[in-house]
Amino acid sequence: MKEFFGFGGYSRPAEGFLSWQHLSFVTLLMAVMTVLAIWLGKKYRHSDKKNQVLIAAAFLIDGFELFKIVVLCLRSGSFSPVLYELPLFLCSIQLITIPLAAFAKGRIKEAALDFVSIFGLLGAVLGTYGAGNNYGTYPVLSMDNVVSGITHSISGFCALYIFIAGLASLKKENIPITLGILFSFCIAAFAANEALDYNYMFLRRGDGTPYDIFFNLLGGHPVFYPLTVVGLFVIYIGIFYYIRFLLRKKNT
């Protein structure tokens, strides 16, 4: 248990990013995530209890994240890890938007559902298959990677469940709210990076993730690189809504 939680540091070497251990573990998570989303989505699609699944997911994702932060604080013997575990990555925004999707009302709930459905699956894939920063540093079966894999999988689960259960509206009038959520977190991440010399939202560098492609193309430019990252988010939202529009048009 001491080795799993990393007290005193991990004695096992990291198996490595894209190793068979990494790929096997995250593929198992993605399989479980997909099966549960399809099963529960179909089960509750025509039920008035469909929101209860999101409530459970909200408690689980925040519970696992809080548990991880407590362990990190115990490992370091201080509260400093809290500053570096703020929900200011694209994936960790779901720590806030999933509870909003579960408990909010009206347009806020609709916009939160849309945000989770748009970014949840992308975050799940990037945060598992693309997490070179984690799997290149820690052993696959360690608290850091297992909890991260679970929380990212919950985000992906929620995205799939929202679609299958018929909870996504993706109304055009909610796009400004969705963009507002994204830009607010990007601004907060930029400010936190400046204050803490950190890399929230990967606005400073790629850190072994697919963002390294753009970081290297732009030579790590301190202005163009973060603008490109934010621009990619906006382009992704646009493509997502466009595909949704085409599918709706085809079905009508």
Side-chain angles (χ1 to χ4, degrees):
M1 295 299 289
K2 181 180 178 182
E3 174 65 18
F4 175 79
F5 289 109
F7 288 103
Y10 293 110
S11 61
R12 295 168 294 152
E15 293 85 351
F17 177 52
L18 298 182
S19 64
W20 71 265
Q21 294 94 334
H22 167 210
L23 295 178
S24 298
F25 175 64
V26 298
T27 299
L28 176 62
L29 288 176
M30 294 296 101
V32 173
M33 172 195 86
T34 304
V35 169
L36 285 176
I38 294 173
W39 172 50
L40 293 174
K42 289 184 175 180
K43 180 178 179 180
Y44 291 106
R45 183 174 178 83
H46 303 293
S47 170
D48 57 359
K49 297 181 180 180
K50 64 177 68 176
N51 194 62
Q52 292 182 3
V53 175
L54 288 179
I55 292 174
F59 278 111
L60 283 172
I61 192 171
D62 283 358
F64 274 109
E65 187 67 15
L66 180 60
F67 172 77
K68 182 183 77 173
I69 291 173
V70 170
V71 172
L72 291 176
C73 289
L74 290 174
R75 271 190 349 199
S76 69
S78 70
F79 291 103
S80 60
V82 174
L83 297 174
Y84 303 98
E85 296 296 329
L86 299 174
L88 294 177
F89 287 105
L90 182 64
C91 310
S92 55
I93 295 175
Q94 309 295 354
L95 296 168
I96 295 174
T97 52
I98 290 176
L100 281 176
F103 295 103
K105 303 292 183 181
R107 287 189 65 188
I108 297 297
K109 183 181 184 70
E110 287 184 353
L113 285 166
D114 289 353
F115 192 94
V116 175
S117 65
I118 292 170
F119 286 109
L121 190 58
L122 176 67
V125 173
L126 291 179
T128 53
Y129 287 103
N133 53 325
N134 278 352
Y135 292 95
T137 305
Y138 310 112
V140 171
L141 295 182
S142 63
M143 187 278 298
D144 296 79
N145 282 331
V146 170
V147 173
S148 176
I150 291 173
T151 54
H152 283 88
S153 297
I154 292 174
S155 296
F157 162 82
C158 287
L160 290 174
Y161 174 79
I162 286 168
F163 275 115
I164 297 170
L167 288 168
S169 64
L170 292 177
K171 296 178 181 177
K172 291 181 180 179
E173 53 266 31
N174 289 334
I175 294 179
I177 301 178
T178 301
L179 290 173
I181 294 172
L182 176 63
F183 290 147
S184 296
F185 278 94
C186 286
I187 292 170
F190 182 84
N193 288 342
E194 292 299 310
L196 301 171
D197 190 24
Y198 200 51
N199 191 30
Y200 279 121
M201 208 78 80
F202 299 104
L203 294 178
R204 284 191 161 187
R205 56 192 177 274
D207 277 351
T209 68
Y211 293 112
D212 270 334
I213 297 172
F214 301 97
F215 183 84
N216 293 331
L217 284 174
L218 295 167
H221 195 282
V223 175
F224 293 134
Y225 169 70
L227 287 177
T228 299
V229 172
V230 177
L232 288 171
F233 297 155
V234 176
I235 291 171
Y236 176 76
I237 292 175
I239 294 174
F240 199 95
Y241 270 93
Y242 181 69
I243 293 174
R244 181 68 169 170
F245 171 77
L246 291 178
L247 291 175
R248 282 179 174 174
K249 187 176 180 180
K250 182 178 180 181
N251 293 331
T252 55

